[in-house]
Amino acid sequence: MDRPRNTVDNPLDIPYNCSRTKDVHMYYWMLFFLLLIHSTNACAQRASITTDIFGNLDFTSVDGRYTATLEKNILSDLIFSDSKQNEVVFEKKYVEKQYAGIVRNKKKQTALFQNLIRQYAKQSGYRAKYRIDIFDNIRIEDNRGYQWEEGTDIFGNETLEEVNGGIKTSLKRTIQGGLEFSQGTERGTLKKDIFDVWHYEDTYGNHVQFGKPAWKRLLNRFGDDKEVFIHLLNQYFF
């Protein structure tokens, strides 16, 4: 709260010196800031990421209790592992598709390594694999029952499928050109009828239709029918 201009709160009726108080505050803030920089630099030096003779990245925490490595094996897969028995494998084809050029770029490798350390340093016993199968679909699987598949159907339409906690979720385009989302036993659809009217429906009893002007506004706002569908799912399904 701002101090009233014409009041003093000391028995000697000494005017309040705002300028001096601000200078003192500024001094302490600058001192704190300098100490923080020094402390941060010291920690960074003691817990830095290094490169071994094989080109792999190594990390050791300040207290030495946590270590991690990002290495490339003979198959050119990237493998993250740490002292908490976590292991994440990025197979070669996945790396080439999702992280193009990272194998020859230490800066990009370091950024990935840092993200993995932040993500898994507080976990233990986690194992996951990121790969691309023979049908060129992206697959992610872990030892906790999680699965992710991203690819295209025989017509070239994008498909997404996830299994998490035993519940299967999928998003795909139908043969008729509409979109279908399912999660467990629940389902939502977006499709166009013969009169060019778009319909959103789901198993919760929602049914919304969009004439040409309304549909055009939605496309202008969200870009394409898939993004419109995701918006409608967020509004009505979840």
Side-chain angles (χ1 to χ4, degrees):
M1 179 179 296
D2 292 333
R3 180 180 294 272
R5 292 184 179 180
N6 298 319
T7 63
V8 292
D9 56 1
N10 63 77
L12 299 180
D13 200 30
I14 299 174
Y16 185 76
N17 191 334
C18 295
S19 176
R20 182 179 177 184
T21 302
K22 288 180 180 178
D23 290 342
V24 171
H25 287 173
M26 181 63 70
Y27 170 78
Y28 282 115
W29 274 113
M30 289 180 65
L31 180 61
F32 171 78
F33 184 67
L34 291 172
L35 289 172
L36 180 63
I37 292 176
H38 176 75
S39 175
T40 302
N41 288 338
C43 289
Q45 291 171 2
R46 293 168 61 192
S48 60
I49 293 174
T50 59
T51 304
D52 66 18
I53 59 173
F54 303 104
N56 302 319
L57 298 177
D58 294 317
F59 172 86
T60 303
S61 64
V62 174
D63 59 11
R65 298 172 62 183
Y66 177 80
T67 60
T69 301
L70 183 67
E71 62 178 328
K72 183 177 73 172
N73 65 12
I74 59 174
L75 300 175
S76 294
D77 304 330
L78 282 180
I79 302 174
F80 168 85
S81 59
D82 65 18
S83 55
K84 292 194 171 184
Q85 308 305 312
N86 298 305
E87 182 180 88
V88 182
V89 178
F90 302 91
E91 291 191 353
K92 179 183 177 181
K93 285 183 65 176
Y94 181 90
V95 172
E96 291 174 344
K97 185 172 185 177
Q98 299 297 106
Y99 300 106
I102 193 173
V103 174
R104 296 175 297 277
N105 189 316
K106 284 299 177 188
K107 187 176 181 180
K108 290 182 178 180
Q109 284 186 42
T110 301
L112 173 62
F113 191 32
Q114 290 172 328
N115 287 334
L116 292 168
I117 292 170
R118 282 192 289 266
Q119 188 171 356
Y120 298 112
K122 294 183 179 180
Q123 299 190 43
S124 61
Y126 180 79
R127 295 179 179 271
K129 179 175 287 188
Y130 293 69
R131 64 188 180 90
I132 295 179
D133 64 20
I134 58 174
F135 302 105
D136 209 33
N137 295 328
I138 294 174
R139 288 183 175 273
I140 304 171
E141 299 171 329
D142 70 14
N143 61 343
R144 298 177 183 173
Y146 180 84
Q147 297 177 33
W148 170 273
E149 182 179 347
E150 178 181 344
T152 54
D153 60 22
I154 59 175
F155 302 104
N157 298 313
E158 183 183 19
T159 61
L160 300 172
E161 186 175 297
E162 179 188 50
V163 177
N164 191 14
I167 298 175
K168 181 178 179 181
T169 302
S170 68
L171 175 64
K172 63 182 180 180
R173 191 171 293 277
T174 65
I175 298 176
Q176 294 79 19
L179 290 160
E180 180 179 293
F181 175 85
S182 64
Q183 187 175 68
T185 59
E186 308 299 339
R187 191 165 69 98
T189 60
L190 180 67
K191 57 186 177 182
K192 182 172 65 173
D193 65 20
I194 59 174
F195 303 105
D196 281 344
V197 176
W198 284 85
H199 297 259
Y200 167 85
E201 294 182 78
D202 60 38
T203 50
Y204 295 106
N206 299 302
H207 182 189
V208 187
Q209 61 183 33
F210 307 93
K212 287 184 178 180
W215 183 250
K216 184 177 180 181
R217 287 195 296 270
L218 286 171
L219 289 179
N220 288 338
R221 180 179 176 186
F222 295 103
D224 60 27
D225 60 345
K226 179 184 172 184
E227 293 303 318
V228 172
F229 187 38
I230 292 173
H231 166 72
L232 294 172
L233 289 170
N234 287 327
Q235 186 170 357
Y236 297 107
F237 192 94
F238 297 109

